[in-house]
Amino acid sequence: MKLKVKDLDIATGGILIAILNHKDASKLDIFSGDRVAVKFKNRKINCIVDISVSDKMIPEGRIGLFEEVLAQLKIREGNIIDVVDIGKPKSITHIRKKLYGHRLNYQEFYEIVKDITDDYLTDIEKTYFVSSCFINGLSDQEVVDLTRAMVDTGKKINFNGIILDKHCVGGVPGNRTTMIVTPIIAAAGFIMPKTSSRAITSPAGTADTMECLANVSLSEKEIKHVIKKSNACIVHGGAINLAPADDKIILVEHPLAIDAEGQLIASVMAKKYSVSANHVLIDIPMGKSTKSQNEQEAKHLKRKFEFIGKKLNMDVKVIITDGSQPIGKGIGPLLEAKDVMGVLSNDPNAPEDLKEKSLQLAGLLLKMSGKYKNGYKKAKEILESGQALKKMNEIISLQGKKKEVKLAKHSYDIKAKKSGVIKEINNRTIAKIARIAGAPQDKAAGLYLYKKVGDKVKKDEILFKIYSNSESRLKLAKEIYQNFDCFIF
Amino acid sequence: MKLKVKDLDIATGGILIAILNHKDASKLDIFSGDRVAVKFKNRKINCIVDISVSDKMIPEGRIGLFEEVLAQLKIREGNIIDVVDIGKPKSITHIRKKLYGHRLNYQEFYEIVKDITDDYLTDIEKTYFVSSCFINGLSDQEVVDLTRAMVDTGKKINFNGIILDKHCVGGVPGNRTTMIVTPIIAAAGFIMPKTSSRAITSPAGTADTMECLANVSLSEKEIKHVIKKSNACIVHGGAINLAPADDKIILVEHPLAIDAEGQLIASVMAKKYSVSANHVLIDIPMGKSTKSQNEQEAKHLKRKFEFIGKKLNMDVKVIITDGSQPIGKGIGPLLEAKDVMGVLSNDPNAPEDLKEKSLQLAGLLLKMSGKYKNGYKKAKEILESGQALKKMNEIISLQGKKKEVKLAKHSYDIKAKKSGVIKEINNRTIAKIARIAGAPQDKAAGLYLYKKVGDKVKKDEILFKIYSNSESRLKLAKEIYQNFDCFIF
């Protein structure tokens, strides 16, 4: 069917949408969510149909296209394009199979993950995939196949020899150990191609934090160069397309806050596998407001990770850590970067818990390399001798040093309403306050903790300081604190 | 947050959408799919957020609204509205509960179904609900509670005494027995408040077919009047808001062609319950291209329907019928209406199979009323004496007789490619051809079967004739036939 292009001047990212008038949709016998090929000259792209029930913006004979479609087809308002119904992709059949409780093989996962990567499945279809994997569960073989499919639909970076890597399952604000562990490992002579993510629902990801110090958007070639010179890097994985389906799956999990175990493991392992890691340490923080709320859950996840690692020929070790409160003092990219540099510089005011946890993780990784019996001792030696700081500066300079981020213009002190001993700090509320203050987009926004669990506090003593470059955000962040008390005495 | 309205001039029906610039969304810490209240003066409605990643159409400080939102808030381009994050509705918690395999009670189903009815859940959230009910299944009590929730979120029409009703589970083109059974029952003196649906994926629903003869969009008051005068009606259920959540759930099932048993039963029973039916006959056609493909499936569904009926204090009987080919000769609203009127007029050319099946169903319903031992004999007597035709004309006149629909302008004969005996007719392909020809929107479009299963056919004899008011659609319909042979010899 020939239709005239209407430029909608909207770009929402993600799936490619074509809006048809309800009469034209009926002529083609297609429904909202069905697929059409939109053709112009020798170019063609597949879109998902949305149907306009009003004739105002999209009258009969017109097709409303978003900016992404116009750009890819190199067309504009008024061009005549051809629209053809192309039916459903094969991946829908596989999703249906999983929904009916059957197991999927590598090829089937590959086709689903490829279509997700290419933004070729609708929210409804992706949700059926996520929910059927979640409810029916994934067998160990399925997790392995899903991991491989995620790797094979993205970029792979090849390294030889012992390649160390780490990952934290998340949920603990301020937990920026990666930026301390990586230079220690690199200084010990091992390769650690660390790719990290940006924050999705947290106030800072390692990529956001590292970006206060250095450029993190590197090409594959640049990453290889940095690693050749310094043994390691700390870059944003999203910039080099490692297992790109993962982020798109997470977006569908977000509305119901689903934590699908199989998908979590596949997601983590795919990113490690994509950079050729063969010795991987997984940190599972356990606490009331983290993913693993009790020992049973944490241990179950540990066993799964280790088992899947074995199936993928990776040496995977899991450490269960304390997730009952934030790690370090700063929450938010700049404030966390300051904590990290404090530890690396052996600053006596640097947070002791961040240092201790980083040494523990680095020690375990050094032990996994097979070269050190007492990894912890070696890690401590590297950190305290200044070798780790030197290595970090080398990595920063190779990735491209950034101009220093300025302190936030506005701040506000939150004071204790009563005296007592702090029993608990709610990670979720702390994260929410930092986000409302502007983190991670406002790199200087966040909060700085003066008190942690176990500290004795007098009434009116400062508990933490909120930082923001926006006065209105600072006000909102204060309100969050009033509504959800996050320090439990 | 104060934002300036941008009128997007789009209406897609369904959920209310507000498009925010990515920077404003970040300030509010909200994601695509989150909910906000949009306030103007003392009016307020809740919308679901979509995020524009480009600044072209929706720059910072603007909010893009669809026509439905503008109309409800009585605002226009340039007005300043207030946007507030309102968090997730309680129904999301219940959906999560079902996703995790727990059972839901009446109150929980009610909150979910109410939010679906009010277009307050996103596609992702509705899909989690549908898939978790599908995979985890619904207990009998859950089906009863879901049915009640569907009834209680829509309109109820109260009648007293014996109220008969029927329903066909569908999948068989041409199966327009309702329009013959209803006047027979009414002529026998029983009340039958028949509400029917329009076609969603089929070439004609009973509402579309009846609409060739009479007005089907009646108010509750009008329906009561028609029934008071004639004992029965044949109207479009959608027009009076009976169990309105049902159609919205079906839209989410469509992309994966899911047939969730619990939801199917709840949907059917809710519509019967909403019109006070207490004796209900369910027709389950069994065949290769219907919902129940074999006897085991059909019998399982039969048991479920009868059990749930009992729990709802309804006398439910189920009949398993032959679904191996279309019923009657015409497929498409007008052609099916002609078959119906032919049977009612005792026209010797009227399709015998449609007559026979209608008599069987009417007979069973008369027996269920408790007033007739041999219902079939009574039904046949009413039909053949012309009482049913008289009653039908009375119903048509009371609902508002329509001007006769004209025959389609174009037609095309499909001829047999070889000689032989017809073994099978594919219902799905027949339905597709009729839809592509224009049914049900083009009421005269569809096809007329000259041959049925068991008939001997010579090469080049006419198998069926395609009708359409559009030459291009006729051409497309012919192509479908070339690609998918639907007559198996």
Side-chain angles (χ1 to χ4, degrees):
Chain A
M1 178 184 283
K2 301 278 180 203
L3 294 170
K4 196 170 177 183
V5 172
K6 169 102 199 175
D7 178 355
L8 292 179
D9 257 352
I10 302 178
T12 56
I15 61 170
L16 300 170
I17 301 251
I19 305 186
L20 265 67
N21 181 278
H22 57 112
K23 288 177 200 139
D24 294 322
S26 141
K27 272 184 211 153
L28 287 165
D29 195 24
I30 51 179
F31 293 83
S32 182
D34 282 351
R35 282 156 184 80
V36 291
V38 179
K39 296 178 187 173
F40 184 74
K41 291 184 179 164
N42 56 353
R43 296 186 288 279
K44 189 188 93 169
I45 53 169
N46 299 335
C47 293
I48 291 172
V49 171
D50 206 345
I51 294 174
S52 175
V53 293
S54 108
D55 298 335
K56 230 167 134 188
M57 185 65 140
I58 319 284
E60 204 177 342
R62 301 290 303 253
I63 180 169
L65 297 175
F66 282 30
E67 286 180 41
E68 296 93 337
V69 181
L70 297 171
Q72 285 194 38
L73 279 180
K74 294 178 194 153
I75 52 177
R76 53 167 198 250
E77 177 85 25
N79 281 148
I80 304 292
I81 51 84
D82 196 23
V83 175
V84 184
D85 180 7
I86 50 169
K88 289 196 181 298
K90 253 163 78 189
S91 56
I92 301 285
T93 318
H94 311 325
I95 294 175
R96 236 176 152 251
K97 190 172 163 190
K98 187 72 202 165
L99 196 66
Y100 276 82
H102 304 291
R103 293 206 169 159
L104 300 183
N105 60 31
Y106 168 80
Q107 187 58 30
E108 290 162 336
F109 277 118
Y110 180 85
E111 284 167 19
I112 295 168
V113 172
K114 181 85 175 71
D115 282 345
I116 291 175
T117 304
D118 296 346
D119 288 320
Y120 197 45
L121 295 183
T122 64
D123 281 348
I124 292 181
E125 292 153 356
K126 280 183 277 190
T127 305
Y128 276 119
F129 176 59
V130 168
S131 59
S132 59
C133 289
F134 176 73
I135 304 177
N136 289 324
L138 294 175
S139 70
D140 290 333
Q141 188 56 47
E142 284 185 312
V143 176
V144 170
D145 289 336
L146 176 58
T147 305
R148 289 218 166 97
M150 283 180 157
V151 171
D152 295 344
T153 47
K155 194 179 262 305
K156 256 179 284 191
I157 304 186
N158 296 311
F159 294 103
N160 295 319
I162 296 176
I163 311 298
L164 301 177
D165 205 344
K166 75 164 278 289
H167 179 84
C168 175
V169 166
V172 179
N175 189 22
R176 218 45 67 208
T177 56
T178 291
M179 287 168 65
I180 299 164
V181 172
T182 307
I184 293 175
I185 299 300
F190 297 101
I191 293 177
M192 185 147 168
K194 191 72 195 84
T195 65
S196 299
S197 53
R198 292 193 188 278
I200 299 177
T201 56
S202 74
T206 293
D208 303 304
T209 306
M210 183 67 181
E211 209 175 27
C212 295
L213 310 170
N215 176 28
V216 294
S217 300
L218 274 68
S219 68
E220 182 187 347
K221 207 178 144 191
E222 289 165 334
I223 290 173
K224 287 200 156 177
H225 175 75
V226 172
I227 291 173
K228 200 178 162 191
K229 294 278 176 184
S230 71
N231 287 341
C233 68
I234 303 172
V235 298
H236 178 216
I240 40 166
N241 225 30
L242 304 174
D246 188 42
D247 286 351
K248 296 169 198 255
I249 291 173
I250 288 170
L251 282 183
V252 172
E253 294 179 330
H254 177 71
L256 259 78
I258 285 189
D259 250 335
E261 182 189 271
Q263 246 131 3
L264 167 71
I265 297 172
S267 148
V268 172
M269 298 312 278
K271 286 184 174 159
K272 304 302 151 199
Y273 199 98
S274 296
V275 294
S276 313
N278 42 38
H279 296 74
V280 176
L281 179 63
I282 309 278
D283 169 14
I284 301 181
M286 188 184 83
K288 268 194 204 168
S289 43
T290 66
K291 287 191 188 178
S292 294
Q293 299 187 3
N294 57 51
E295 205 170 324
Q296 201 193 339
E297 279 176 36
K299 283 199 171 160
H300 170 79
L301 195 55
K302 174 182 156 84
R303 272 192 302 270
K304 278 274 176 183
F305 262 115
E306 290 175 349
F307 187 83
I308 302 298
K310 204 172 285 172
K311 285 236 177 193
L312 288 163
N313 287 320
M314 289 156 90
D315 170 23
V316 174
K317 291 270 180 299
V318 175
I319 175 172
I320 297 170
T321 58
D322 175 15
S324 65
Q325 63 170 332
I327 303 282
K329 295 175 179 174
I331 313 295
L334 177 65
L335 296 160
E336 295 182 27
K338 284 187 177 294
D339 274 359
V340 164
M341 293 312 285
V343 171
L344 287 170
S345 314
N346 296 299
D347 179 338
N349 290 323
E352 193 56 36
D353 57 347
L354 178 63
K355 174 180 172 178
E356 196 45 45
K357 184 168 175 182
S358 300
L359 286 177
Q360 219 190 344
L361 297 177
L364 280 167
L365 269 170
L366 289 175
K367 211 174 154 191
M368 284 171 81
S369 76
K371 303 279 167 77
Y372 297 97
K373 279 214 166 161
N374 193 336
Y376 181 87
K377 201 181 137 202
K378 179 72 188 169
K380 198 170 178 190
E381 189 189 305
I382 292 173
L383 179 69
E384 295 185 347
S385 66
Q387 291 172 70
L389 177 65
K390 197 180 150 209
K391 182 55 80 178
M392 182 62 159
N393 284 328
E394 196 184 330
I395 294 170
I396 290 172
S397 137
L398 281 163
Q399 290 190 191
K401 192 176 166 128
K402 282 248 171 165
K403 224 174 74 184
E404 216 166 295
V405 178
K406 277 187 200 152
L407 278 176
K409 277 186 277 182
H410 311 285
S411 67
Y412 182 85
D413 291 335
I414 298 285
K415 291 173 184 167
K417 292 173 199 159
K418 56 177 180 185
S419 302
V421 175
I422 299 169
K423 270 197 206 142
E424 205 185 306
I425 300 177
N426 188 312
N427 288 326
R428 292 211 180 110
T429 310
I430 287 288
K432 187 83 186 167
I433 292 171
R435 282 183 68 89
I436 292 291
Q441 283 82 4
D442 174 357
K443 289 218 180 295
L447 51 86
Y448 189 85
L449 298 160
Y450 286 92
K451 302 289 173 186
K452 301 283 288 271
V453 168
D455 287 352
K456 262 192 197 167
V457 175
K458 279 185 209 146
K459 189 170 179 290
D460 288 331
E461 254 196 299
I462 301 178
L463 292 173
F464 62 92
K465 193 190 274 287
I466 310 178
Y467 289 92
S468 180
N469 279 312
S470 146
E471 269 186 282
S472 60
R473 278 179 168 262
L474 192 68
K475 199 170 145 241
L476 283 171
K478 272 167 19 190
E479 278 168 25
I480 295 282
Y481 177 73
Q482 307 303 337
N483 293 332
F484 304 94
D485 206 345
C486 49
F487 278 70
I488 293 124
F489 285 82
Chain B
M1 178 183 282
K2 301 279 181 202
L3 293 171
K4 196 170 176 183
V5 173
K6 169 101 199 177
D7 178 355
L8 291 178
D9 258 352
I10 301 178
T12 57
I15 61 170
L16 299 170
I17 301 254
I19 306 185
L20 265 67
N21 181 278
H22 57 112
K23 287 176 201 139
D24 293 323
S26 141
K27 272 184 210 154
L28 288 165
D29 195 25
I30 51 180
F31 292 83
S32 182
D34 282 351
R35 281 158 185 80
V36 291
V38 180
K39 296 176 188 175
F40 184 73
K41 290 186 180 163
N42 56 352
R43 296 186 288 278
K44 190 188 93 170
I45 54 169
N46 299 334
C47 293
I48 291 171
V49 172
D50 206 346
I51 293 173
S52 176
V53 293
S54 109
D55 298 334
K56 231 168 135 186
M57 186 64 140
I58 318 285
E60 204 176 344
R62 301 291 304 253
I63 180 168
L65 298 176
F66 283 30
E67 286 180 42
E68 296 93 336
V69 181
L70 297 171
Q72 286 194 36
L73 279 180
K74 294 177 194 154
I75 52 176
R76 53 167 198 247
E77 177 86 25
N79 280 147
I80 304 293
I81 51 83
D82 196 24
V83 174
V84 183
D85 181 6
I86 51 168
K88 289 196 180 299
K90 254 163 77 188
S91 57
I92 300 285
T93 318
H94 311 325
I95 295 175
R96 238 178 149 250
K97 189 172 162 190
K98 188 72 203 164
L99 195 67
Y100 276 82
H102 305 290
R103 294 204 169 160
L104 300 184
N105 60 31
Y106 168 78
Q107 186 57 32
E108 290 162 335
F109 276 118
Y110 180 85
E111 282 166 18
I112 295 168
V113 172
K114 182 84 176 71
D115 281 346
I116 291 176
T117 304
D118 295 345
D119 287 320
Y120 197 45
L121 295 183
T122 64
D123 282 348
I124 292 181
E125 292 153 355
K126 279 183 278 190
T127 306
Y128 275 119
F129 176 60
V130 168
S131 59
S132 58
C133 290
F134 176 73
I135 305 176
N136 289 323
L138 293 175
S139 70
D140 290 333
Q141 188 56 47
E142 285 185 311
V143 176
V144 171
D145 289 336
L146 175 59
T147 305
R148 290 218 166 97
M150 283 180 155
V151 171
D152 295 344
T153 47
K155 194 179 263 303
K156 256 180 285 189
I157 305 186
N158 296 311
F159 294 103
N160 295 318
I162 296 175
I163 311 297
L164 301 177
D165 206 344
K166 75 165 278 290
H167 179 84
C168 175
V169 165
V172 179
N175 190 21
R176 218 44 66 208
T177 57
T178 292
M179 287 168 66
I180 299 163
V181 171
T182 307
I184 293 176
I185 299 300
F190 297 102
I191 293 177
M192 184 148 169
K194 190 72 195 83
T195 65
S196 298
S197 54
R198 291 192 188 279
I200 299 176
T201 56
S202 75
T206 293
D208 304 303
T209 305
M210 182 68 181
E211 209 175 27
C212 295
L213 309 170
N215 175 28
V216 293
S217 300
L218 274 69
S219 68
E220 183 187 347
K221 206 178 144 192
E222 290 166 333
I223 290 172
K224 286 199 157 179
H225 175 74
V226 172
I227 291 173
K228 200 178 162 192
K229 294 276 177 185
S230 72
N231 287 342
C233 68
I234 303 171
V235 299
H236 177 215
I240 40 166
N241 224 29
L242 304 173
D246 187 42
D247 286 352
K248 296 168 198 255
I249 290 173
I250 288 171
L251 283 181
V252 172
E253 294 180 330
H254 177 72
L256 258 78
I258 284 187
D259 250 336
E261 183 189 270
Q263 245 130 4
L264 167 71
I265 298 172
S267 148
V268 171
M269 298 311 279
K271 286 187 172 155
K272 304 303 151 199
Y273 199 99
S274 296
V275 294
S276 313
N278 41 38
H279 295 75
V280 177
L281 179 63
I282 310 277
D283 168 13
I284 302 181
M286 188 184 85
K288 267 194 205 168
S289 43
T290 67
K291 288 192 187 176
S292 294
Q293 299 187 3
N294 57 51
E295 205 170 323
Q296 201 194 338
E297 279 176 36
K299 284 198 170 161
H300 169 79
L301 195 55
K302 175 182 156 81
R303 273 192 301 269
K304 278 273 176 184
F305 263 116
E306 290 175 348
F307 187 83
I308 301 298
K310 204 172 284 171
K311 285 235 176 194
L312 288 163
N313 286 320
M314 287 157 92
D315 170 24
V316 175
K317 291 269 179 301
V318 176
I319 175 172
I320 297 171
T321 58
D322 175 16
S324 64
Q325 63 171 333
I327 302 282
K329 295 175 179 176
I331 313 294
L334 177 64
L335 297 159
E336 294 182 28
K338 284 186 176 294
D339 274 0
V340 164
M341 294 312 285
V343 170
L344 287 170
S345 314
N346 296 299
D347 180 338
N349 290 322
E352 194 56 37
D353 57 348
L354 179 63
K355 174 179 173 178
E356 196 45 45
K357 184 170 175 183
S358 301
L359 286 177
Q360 219 189 343
L361 298 177
L364 280 166
L365 270 171
L366 289 175
K367 210 173 155 191
M368 285 171 80
S369 75
K371 302 276 166 81
Y372 296 96
K373 280 214 166 163
N374 192 336
Y376 181 87
K377 201 180 136 204
K378 178 71 187 171
K380 197 169 178 190
E381 189 190 303
I382 292 174
L383 180 70
E384 295 186 346
S385 66
Q387 292 172 70
L389 176 64
K390 198 181 148 207
K391 181 57 79 178
M392 183 63 160
N393 284 327
E394 196 184 329
I395 294 171
I396 289 172
S397 139
L398 282 163
Q399 290 190 192
K401 192 176 166 129
K402 283 247 173 168
K403 225 175 73 185
E404 215 166 295
V405 178
K406 276 186 200 154
L407 279 176
K409 277 185 277 182
H410 312 285
S411 67
Y412 183 85
D413 291 334
I414 298 285
K415 291 173 184 168
K417 292 173 199 160
K418 57 178 179 185
S419 302
V421 176
I422 298 169
K423 270 198 207 140
E424 203 185 309
I425 300 177
N426 187 312
N427 289 326
R428 292 210 180 111
T429 310
I430 287 289
K432 188 82 187 165
I433 292 171
R435 284 184 65 89
I436 292 291
Q441 283 82 3
D442 174 358
K443 289 217 179 297
L447 52 87
Y448 188 85
L449 297 161
Y450 286 91
K451 302 289 173 187
K452 302 282 289 270
V453 168
D455 287 351
K456 263 193 196 165
V457 175
K458 279 186 210 144
K459 188 169 180 290
D460 288 332
E461 253 195 300
I462 301 178
L463 292 173
F464 62 92
K465 192 191 276 286
I466 310 178
Y467 290 92
S468 180
N469 279 312
S470 146
E471 270 188 284
S472 60
R473 279 179 168 260
L474 192 68
K475 200 171 145 240
L476 282 172
K478 272 168 19 190
E479 278 169 25
I480 294 282
Y481 177 74
Q482 308 302 338
N483 294 332
F484 305 94
D485 206 345
C486 49
F487 278 70
I488 293 125
F489 284 81

